[in-house]
Amino acid sequence: MTAPVEAEFALDPEREYEIVTGQPILKEAAGARAGGITARLGARLGHYIEANKMGAVYAANTTFTIGNDQRLPDLAFVSSERFPPEGEPEGIWEIAPDLAIEVISPNEIYGEVQNKMRDYFNAGVKQVWIVAPEHRIVTVYRSPVEPTVFSEDQELASEDLLPGFRCRLSEIFKSPKSKKSE
């Protein structure tokens, strides 16, 4: 769950914050399972995007301008057509990504993730993927009211935004095991 940061406290430079309606909102650590899922999905998505020279994938510490706010999606994709001539900005992306991915961690409230999804679409994001580790599903939104749900026994695909991209969700949700348990 994200928590508003009280104005009387100094912001911790070691922590990450989203700026929502002018207020800093602490972005809580995701936890190991959500972090692993994010890394596995990001690796596959990044490999596909790079191999097809489509743009770039960004991690959770990348800030994007979303309307009047600043958001840090867990993963994001920006198509090469939208890059400025000088390339990636040094700091904040002043545009919304083409794709924003949110991996729901145990401390997040689903309603807050839904609000963030609506903000993304209002800012021009083409798709939002919401990954629910607890239920082992990925919901691909092409609009706030147009979801497609993929379960762990399916391949994640998004032909309209990422033609040819396929990702077995069983591999994304598979938790690595200890060598001791083999």
Side-chain angles (χ1 to χ4, degrees), residues 4-169:
V5 178
E6 298 299 324
E8 65 264 15
F9 296 109
L11 298 180
D12 182 348
E14 300 296 316
R15 306 292 299 270
E16 292 181 335
Y17 300 88
E18 294 184 313
I19 306 299
V20 180
T21 61
Q23 297 298 312
I25 306 292
L26 178 63
K27 182 148 180 163
E28 298 286 346
R33 181 170 58 167
I37 289 168
T38 302
R40 289 186 290 277
L41 180 56
R44 285 162 179 83
L45 185 60
H47 176 75
Y48 171 81
I49 298 293
E50 192 173 297
N52 290 283
K53 299 177 175 43
M54 296 179 73
V57 174
Y58 295 91
N61 57 350
T62 307
T63 304
F64 288 88
T65 300
I66 304 297
N68 294 323
D69 299 333
Q70 294 178 0
R71 294 285 197 172
L72 294 101
D74 294 321
L75 287 168
F77 159 65
V78 176
S79 68
S80 56
E81 292 85 32
R82 298 184 57 229
F83 272 67
E86 62 277 6
E88 295 173 318
E90 182 69 29
I92 296 171
W93 269 106
E94 295 297 332
I95 60 171
D98 293 279
L99 168 64
I101 302 172
E102 293 292 338
V103 179
I104 300 173
S105 58
N107 54 352
E108 282 188 293
I109 296 172
Y110 193 75
E112 290 177 3
V113 176
Q114 291 292 102
N115 289 339
K116 190 183 286 193
M117 178 195 57
R118 283 191 290 282
D119 291 345
Y120 286 141
F121 280 115
N122 288 338
V125 172
K126 294 177 183 171
Q127 281 187 18
V128 177
W129 297 358
I130 297 181
V131 181
E134 182 178 349
H135 303 290
R136 300 172 81 89
I137 61 171
V138 176
T139 305
V140 173
Y141 289 89
R142 288 167 179 79
S143 78
V145 295
E146 191 181 345
T148 304
V149 178
F150 295 88
S151 64
E152 75 174 308
D153 60 340
Q154 294 178 299
E155 280 188 330
L156 175 62
S158 175
E159 286 299 321
D160 46 337
L161 184 62
L162 304 170
F165 175 73
R166 296 275 184 277
C167 177
R168 287 209 143 297
L169 287 178

